[in-house]
């Protein structure tokens, strides 16, 4: 019997000069990148949390501790693959993912198509099952310009 399950994920990272910015598995040229123990890809981290949420399997920090030296600098898409291959999850099919990224600069519109393609590849679903919205930190203090965040709502059918 299949079951419809919803999952939610959120993540935020500080932006710092001299490191790369990855969003949804895509390198986004930027003067500041996302700081983290891994590559700091908050969109993939939120996606992992959303998937774990659909199956009541905790969160990314339980599966991939941020003090594990083996994970230092790892691409978050690798973490995603490891989660999918871990045997922890029941097989599932993505119905749709609705995603919001919060970032002042660079503008998301130039990278939207590439990120959508990457996400539909990770989720193994058609591109019209993934929606990507971009927000800025409008009206927030200037220090918010040094933040990137992502929020994911995911609906899946679990076998
Ligand atoms: Mg994170």
């Amino acid at each position: 019997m299949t079951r419809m399950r919803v999952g939610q994920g959120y993540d935020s990272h500080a932006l710092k000069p001299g490191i790369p910015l990855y969003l949804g598995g895509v390198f986004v040229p930027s003067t500041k990148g996302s700081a983290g123990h891994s590559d700091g890809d908050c969109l993939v981290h939120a996606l992992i949390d959303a998937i774990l949420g659909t199956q009541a399997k905790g969160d990314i920090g339980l599966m991939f501790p941020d003090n594990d030296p083996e994970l230092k600098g790892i691409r978050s898409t690798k973490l995603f693959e490891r989660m999918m291959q871990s045997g922890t999850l029941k097989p599932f099919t993505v119905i749709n993912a609705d995603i919001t990224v919060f970032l002042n600069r660079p503008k998301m519109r130039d990278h939207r198509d590439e990120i959508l393609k990457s996400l539909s590849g990770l989720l193994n679903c058609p591109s019209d099952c993934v929606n990507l919205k971009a927000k800025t930190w409008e009206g927030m203090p200037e220090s918010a310009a040094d933040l990137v965040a992502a929020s994911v709502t995911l609906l899946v059918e679990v076998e």
Side-chain angles (χ1 to χ4, degrees):
M1 190 179 94
T2 59
R3 296 170 302 154
M4 303 292 274
R5 305 276 297 207
V6 69
Q8 173 269 340
Y10 172 83
D11 195 26
S12 55
H13 282 247
L15 293 171
K16 296 188 173 167
I19 53 175
L21 175 62
Y22 289 100
L23 279 170
V26 172
F27 171 69
V28 176
S30 172
T31 55
K32 292 180 180 176
S34 183
H37 185 65
S38 65
D39 66 0
D41 189 331
C42 67
L43 208 171
V44 172
H45 297 176
L47 202 57
I48 289 172
D49 269 348
I51 290 170
L52 293 172
T54 64
Q55 301 202 18
K57 294 293 184 187
D59 65 31
I60 187 172
L62 289 173
M63 185 169 270
F64 304 112
D66 66 4
N67 57 4
D68 182 345
E70 199 254 321
L71 302 177
K72 180 84 182 136
I74 193 170
R75 288 294 305 274
S76 297
T77 46
K78 278 276 171 221
L79 297 179
F80 190 94
E81 281 172 24
R82 288 192 188 187
M83 173 187 70
M84 296 298 282
Q85 293 164 2
S86 67
T88 310
L89 298 172
K90 295 180 181 137
F92 66 93
T93 304
V94 170
I95 305 299
N96 77 302
D98 194 14
I99 296 168
T100 306
V101 170
F102 302 81
L103 179 66
N104 277 10
R105 288 177 295 275
K107 290 295 178 196
M108 287 293 294
R109 69 173 70 92
D110 298 334
H111 309 284
R112 194 171 177 279
D113 290 348
E114 193 179 355
I115 291 171
L116 279 172
K117 191 175 169 191
S118 172
L119 293 173
S120 65
L122 287 171
L123 293 170
N124 192 28
C125 69
S127 58
D128 66 356
C129 295
V130 185
N131 187 47
L132 183 60
K133 293 173 286 195
K135 298 283 180 192
T136 63
W137 301 106
E138 187 179 6
M140 300 291 279
E142 183 53 30
S143 57
D146 289 333
L147 288 174
V148 58
S151 172
V152 174
T153 302
L154 183 71
L155 184 66
V156 301
E157 194 169 14
V158 180
E159 286 178 23

